[in-house]
Amino acid sequence: TENELINTNIWKLVHPDDLIRIKKYAENRTLGEEKVNNYQAKIVTKNGEIKHCNFSVRIALYNNKPSVVGQVRDISEELQTQKNIQDELARLETIFNSVDAYIYVSDMDNYEILFANGKVQEDIGLDYRGVKCWNTIHNNTSDPCEFCNNNKLIDSKGNINKPINWEFFNNRLQKWFLIKDQAIAWPDGRTVRLEVATDITDRKNMLKTISDSNQKFKSIFENAPMGVMYYNNKGIVLDCNDIFVKIIGSSKEVLIGFDMLNQLKDKKLIEQLALSLKTGDGYYEDKYESVTTKKTTPVRLVFKGIKNEKKEIYAGVCIVEDITTIVKSRDEILASNQTFKNIYDFSTVAIYFQD
């Protein structure tokens, strides 16, 4: 109380840890040397409780005598709050540094980076304190990025929206990233931007390689000099090229989705198709009557099952050749042979062969 403080020796209130320092300040003021008028120190209450206080002192006249006028403010809660914030930031830093991703936090109003994890600092060479995200992370020089989505992370009332996921190529790092942006509450009470970026460059390159391979396969598939048909492990047509359509005499719209095992009428053809799905190989050569158009065409079909990494047949490819010309030539040769045989058998004159 006030009465308890009157005539109390002020030095008895100062914590021993700070007593020498505070006395030195007082001595310097008395001698007119360098003055420290604002400082922090601990005091001990009558109950033995330690309080952290901020002192603001000056020399003034009291009853016409030079005296010290001081203002003391208890800052224990403020310091504890600051400590809690620092502890929380340290905890977040530990967590963020353990994640294999690029993570940074920035102020949503002035774009100042508040935190960047070790991966950002290492790869970008960034001392993030006090710098802007747009001229460090993204290497712009004059203005915030045109693709900045800060305005989408919170609504008009300041409420936090759902995270935004997107892909982006960072010109500074020359890498592709899968990015997750979200507004979060920072330990000091601000709503800030959290960005977590995962490097997907290898995945992007792999997808491009696959895409290029698919384009090459598609080009070969479409431009092959024979009919080509692709089917799954249930015998359903998944794709075919134009030559296959022409040989069969149908349309791609009708053929794709055609269930060969259940809709074909030729039992021999069904057997060879099923064999390709069982053993990996099938062969058919005969006059084929199209189920969809009733067109009959002499064909040669070679079936080949396609296996996965487990050696399981999951699909198949069929090469189709129109052998009308071959069959015609073969029939003409057979007919010629038969004509010659008839002449030979029924001739009334001597016929002989000499080597």
Side-chain angles (χ1 to χ4, degrees), residues 160-217:
I160 294 176
N161 288 330
K162 293 181 179 179
I164 297 176
N165 297 294
W166 55 298
E167 292 184 2
F168 177 74
F169 182 78
N170 187 292
N171 285 313
R172 177 164 188 164
L173 295 175
Q174 290 294 297
K175 292 180 179 181
W176 276 100
F177 291 96
L178 174 63
I179 296 177
K180 180 176 182 179
D181 292 326
Q182 184 174 9
I184 64 170
W186 202 234
D188 63 6
R190 281 182 288 181
T191 298
V192 299
R193 170 196 182 90
L194 168 66
E195 179 163 301
V196 180
T198 304
D199 185 353
I200 57 170
T201 305
D202 289 343
R203 190 181 80 181
K204 277 285 188 178
N205 291 338
M206 180 183 67
L207 290 175
K208 185 179 185 305
T209 300
I210 293 174
S211 177
D212 291 345
S213 297
N214 287 340
Q215 288 297 324
K216 292 178 182 178
F217 170 78

Side-chain angles (χ1 to χ4, degrees), residues 336-353:
S336 297
N337 288 341
Q338 185 61 45
T339 299
F340 178 78
K341 185 176 185 302
N342 291 338
I343 294 173
Y344 180 82
D345 290 342
F346 297 102
S347 176
T348 58
V349 296
I351 298 176
Y352 67 93
F353 296 94

Side-chain angles (χ1 to χ4, degrees), residues 127-145:
D127 182 2
Y128 64 85
R129 295 167 182 81
V131 300
K132 310 289 186 181
C133 56
W134 44 266
N135 65 1
T136 51
I137 302 293
H138 297 294
N139 209 26
N140 291 335
T141 56
S142 57
D143 296 297
C145 305

Side-chain angles (χ1 to χ4, degrees), residues 245-297:
V245 174
K246 183 179 179 180
I247 292 173
I248 298 302
S250 184
S251 69
K252 186 170 287 191
E253 291 75 18
V254 172
L255 290 173
I256 293 178
F258 185 80
D259 186 346
M260 294 185 289
L261 289 175
N262 294 306
Q263 291 181 268
L264 287 173
K265 304 301 182 183
D266 191 317
K267 292 184 179 180
K268 180 182 176 183
L269 181 55
I270 295 173
E271 288 175 359
Q272 293 303 309
L273 169 63
L275 191 63
S276 74
L277 293 172
K278 183 177 181 180
T279 67
D281 295 288
Y283 181 84
Y284 173 90
E285 184 175 330
D286 208 336
K287 292 181 178 180
Y288 169 73
E289 181 181 348
S290 172
V291 175
T292 59
T293 64
K294 303 303 180 182
K295 175 188 175 183
T296 300
T297 307

